[in-house]
Amino acid sequence: MPLLSTHELTKRYPGGVTALDRLTLDLETGIIGLVGANGAGKSTLLRILLGLLPATSGGATVLGFDARTEGSALRRLVGYMPESDCLPPDVSATDFVSHMGRLSGLPAAAARERAAEVLRHVGLYEERYRPIGGYSTGMKQRVKLAQALVHDPRLLLLDEPTNGLDPAGRDEMLTLVRRTGTEFGIAVIVASHLLGEIERVSDFLVAVDGGRLIQAAPLGTFTERTGVLAVEVEDGAEALTARLTERGLTARTSGRLVLVDLDDERPWDVVRDAVADLDLPLVRIEQRRRGLEELFR
Amino acid sequence: MTAPGSIFDLGYQRYVGPRQGRLAVAISLLLHTLRSAYGIGRGGRAKVVPFGLLILAVAPALLAVGIRALATQAGAGDAFDEASPIRHDTYQGLTSTLVMLFCAAQAPELFGRDQRYGVLPLYFSRVLTRADYAVARLAGLFLAVLVVCLLPQLVLTVGGVLAATDPATGLAGEAADIPRAVAISVLAAGLLGGVAAVVAAWTPRRAYATAGIIAVFIIPPIVVGIIAARALGDVAGPLILASPGDILDGANAAIFGTFPDSPAVAAADIDGWIYVVAAAVGVVATLGIVLRRYQRISV
């Protein structure tokens, strides 16, 4: 059973803004990065999948449930961490997460147990008994993740989980997201406008722009090796290019880099020998990868 | 070999227990709402206003029951019954201001808070539908207000039974008033709670919501009073049905077969049962308005 499929999903807001434009997707389980600029339609997609927002046209199926007609059954198995602030300041994390567990259908005792467990999992210990109002942004983000996990969902939808976090907080949150997906076997869809973050946590990448699907493919195919060898030298790049061309390779200079077309294994040896012969200060030789950034060019 | 007292990271545990359906979850939210209305599960300060108002509402009944017991011992029980102003049929009028204050203080807590802090997306992305949420919240507020209305009536009933020469006679004396007291309490809790919920659901800011609810309760009777004072009886008649307090006063008089407290109601010359119907319509209408609000609110 696919994790998620959408067919020609379209959302137009009153006022004429098209947030999603005939989006068709079929996703298998895993950690899925949903990437796009602010306003690309990421949050709209997540909210339609949850049944929080009706689609203008088209349909979506999540975990085998129709998002529009079987929302209640579907939402029982999905955890959602919204982008916005959503925590009341005057209750403790324990009480709040446990309350949210009950609202996801856990019996009272189970909700309390699960709340304690997920708060420990996200790294909140003694402070979980204090009112949320006194928490740092990082702690609040952890509580938001905990409330999404409390009912042991089969799918987690995370909307910009690192919003407002400092670099260390970002690292910790991304590690948590990665662990949740890999160790616990919970499917995760994480939306972010930061390619670098998505690259670190996901196996599969869905890129959207202006409500349209740009690409959906395993992360590896976005960053696969290209047939270009990059040689960086402190100086003498022009001389190296000339020597390589002399030896029958296709080479060009780009600043301190010499880019050599790589059709077989031969250029590696030729480059090594040329650098040694010319006695150039070599910094590195590496096979180029396509950058994720190229997606949005 | 591990040392005793070692802490093990057992890793993440899957949940394999039962998962409840919509009805059970809705009841759970209803009970949570009822507890929140009395500040239970929140800090001590959250309990001061609701319990303070509840105590003030019950105090006259306790006082009446106590004095009645003393009067009975002195052989003046019947004389007290005739003279006492604290009876089933007068209690709605005695406590209506307290009930309104209770609604004004607690409805914003139950309806505005989730909007103010952006918690609604978390509710709506769970088992309950928007309508389930609205109904559970409203029912929770209704029950909380019903306690304020009904508890003093219960005290009067128990006091009446115990003060009688034997419990059977006492119960017979109270029997007629029990359904009446329940009826007016249900109408009062439904109408005042409903009106307060409508204002609170549209007013996330707590202070504004409280002020708004008080305004809705006190401004209509003032307007009606002014119009009645200018002897525009024909106009004041139908207008009085815009005043929740006067509707309940009229309904109370109709249910107990007594005279209304409010001069405006007395002057309006409307059949008593119209007030009962108006109160019931008000309850249904406020439910409809609150439901509509939560169907449309964007999260």
Side-chain angles (χ1 to χ4, degrees):
Chain A
M1 188 181 68
L3 176 69
L4 156 76
S5 61
T6 67
H7 180 71
E8 303 254 313
L9 198 61
T10 301
K11 177 68 188 178
R12 275 187 212 93
Y13 286 106
V17 178
T18 303
L20 288 180
D21 193 2
R22 295 190 310 264
L23 190 75
T24 299
L25 268 178
D26 277 290
L27 300 175
E28 296 297 323
T29 189
I31 306 179
I32 294 147
L34 179 60
V35 67
N38 289 326
K42 305 183 298 288
S43 298
T44 302
L45 175 60
L46 295 188
R47 285 156 64 193
I48 289 176
L49 295 179
L50 280 164
L52 283 181
L53 201 65
T56 308
S57 64
T61 313
V62 185
L63 299 166
F65 295 101
D66 187 305
R68 194 168 51 85
T69 57
E70 298 172 294
S72 186
L74 157 66
R75 288 192 293 266
R76 192 188 308 259
L77 300 174
V78 178
Y80 173 51
M81 174 175 173
E83 182 183 1
S84 52
D85 288 337
C86 56
L87 305 173
D90 54 353
V91 291
S92 69
T94 307
D95 287 346
F96 182 71
V97 173
S98 151
H99 177 54
M100 285 296 142
R102 295 224 60 189
L103 285 160
S104 285
L106 301 186
R112 274 195 302 276
E113 263 172 48
R114 289 279 317 170
E117 174 165 338
V118 292
L119 285 168
R120 181 176 52 80
H121 167 66
V122 301
L124 281 178
Y125 301 95
E126 289 312 307
E127 55 271 47
R128 66 174 189 256
Y129 301 110
R130 293 207 316 261
I132 295 170
Y135 289 10
S136 67
T137 309
M139 285 158 73
K140 285 181 184 164
Q141 289 295 95
R142 286 162 193 260
V143 179
K144 280 165 68 176
L145 180 62
Q147 65 77 30
L149 272 173
V150 63
H151 53 301
D152 190 21
R154 281 169 52 203
L155 169 64
L156 259 187
L157 301 178
L158 310 177
D159 199 349
E160 304 277 1
T162 58
N163 235 5
L165 297 183
D166 58 20
R170 274 171 193 269
D171 278 349
E172 287 169 7
M173 179 54 75
L174 292 173
T175 308
L176 259 174
V177 170
R178 180 85 204 156
R179 267 189 70 197
T180 307
T182 50
E183 289 177 28
F184 314 156
I186 297 175
V188 182
I189 298 180
V190 47
S192 174
H193 63 286
L194 298 167
L195 270 169
E197 293 193 347
I198 291 292
E199 203 174 4
R200 279 182 51 191
V201 296
S202 36
D203 312 318
F204 196 93
L205 200 133
V206 175
V208 289
D209 192 30
R212 291 165 195 263
L213 180 66
I214 295 185
Q215 198 153 12
L219 189 73
T221 61
F222 285 97
T223 55
E224 69 194 2
R225 295 173 181 208
T226 58
V228 173
L229 198 62
V231 185
E232 187 180 348
V233 285
E234 286 282 349
D235 53 31
E238 295 292 345
L240 181 61
T241 305
R243 174 66 66 94
L244 293 174
T245 312
E246 221 169 83
R247 296 282 172 91
L249 298 183
T250 311
R252 58 196 178 278
T253 313
S254 166
R256 296 196 317 188
L257 285 177
V258 177
L259 303 173
V260 186
D261 282 2
L262 189 65
D263 300 319
D264 51 33
E265 296 296 306
R266 199 178 70 94
W268 290 95
D269 290 347
V270 177
V271 167
R272 178 200 59 203
D273 295 344
V275 170
D277 288 350
L278 295 169
D279 200 18
L280 295 176
L282 178 68
V283 180
R284 63 192 166 106
I285 304 180
E286 67 170 14
Q287 193 174 349
R288 275 248 163 134
R289 287 171 186 277
R290 281 164 59 198
L292 274 174
E293 287 77 5
E294 290 172 24
L295 269 177
F296 291 98
R297 268 180 207 155
Chain B
M1 203 42 203
T2 49
S6 295
I7 296 170
F8 299 97
D9 183 2
L10 298 174
Y12 182 84
Q13 306 284 308
R14 299 309 303 237
Y15 176 73
V16 289
R19 291 177 191 260
Q20 298 174 324
R22 263 172 66 194
L23 181 64
V25 174
I27 291 172
S28 154
L29 178 60
L30 186 159
L31 294 176
H32 182 266
T33 306
L34 179 57
R35 287 157 45 91
S36 303
Y38 283 95
I40 299 166
R42 308 219 319 275
R45 277 166 58 194
K47 298 179 182 67
V48 173
V49 170
F51 277 103
L53 290 170
L54 180 64
I55 289 166
L56 285 177
V58 177
L62 284 172
L63 208 67
V65 167
I67 295 172
R68 170 73 160 76
L70 291 176
T72 308
Q73 279 185 347
D78 291 340
F80 175 83
D81 280 348
E82 278 171 31
S84 171
I86 301 169
R87 301 185 305 270
H88 289 293
D89 60 293
T90 58
Y91 221 94
Q92 161 56 30
L94 279 175
T95 54
S96 70
T97 306
L98 291 173
V99 176
M100 287 174 182
L101 285 176
F102 185 92
C103 291
Q106 300 312 103
E109 230 11 73
L110 306 177
F111 286 87
R113 205 164 153 269
D114 292 338
Q115 294 182 50
R116 195 158 66 244
Y117 299 123
V119 197
L120 284 181
L122 301 188
Y123 281 102
F124 295 166
S125 60
R126 293 185 138 78
V127 174
L128 297 184
T129 64
R130 289 165 175 241
D132 296 339
Y133 171 89
V135 170
R137 281 282 191 226
L138 201 52
L141 175 62
F142 167 75
L143 289 181
V145 182
L146 190 63
V147 169
V148 183
C149 298
L150 213 46
L151 190 61
Q153 298 273 14
L154 183 69
V155 169
L156 285 181
T157 304
V158 171
V161 172
L162 294 181
T165 43
D166 69 293
T169 325
L171 199 58
E174 292 289 328
D177 279 342
I178 293 173
R180 292 174 182 153
V182 170
I184 188 61
S185 298
V186 166
L187 286 179
L191 185 63
L192 299 179
V195 168
V198 167
V199 177
W202 253 279
T203 321
R205 293 277 294 271
R206 198 203 150 106
Y208 294 156
T210 298
I213 293 165
I214 291 176
V216 171
F217 286 149
I218 65 167
I219 291 175
I222 294 172
V223 173
V224 171
I226 291 170
I227 294 172
R230 289 170 178 254
L232 300 169
D234 293 348
V235 187
L239 248 181
I240 203 158
L241 297 177
S243 163
D246 286 329
I247 291 176
L248 291 172
D249 188 42
N252 188 67
I255 288 170
F256 283 98
T258 55
F259 286 106
D261 289 343
S262 157
V265 175
D269 191 28
I270 294 178
D271 188 71
W273 294 103
I274 302 272
Y275 293 106
V276 177
V277 173
V281 168
V283 172
V284 175
T286 52
L287 171 66
I289 295 170
V290 170
L291 274 174
R292 194 177 158 83
R293 164 67 173 164
Y294 281 98
Q295 288 296 349
R296 298 193 162 207
I297 196 168
S298 74
V299 293

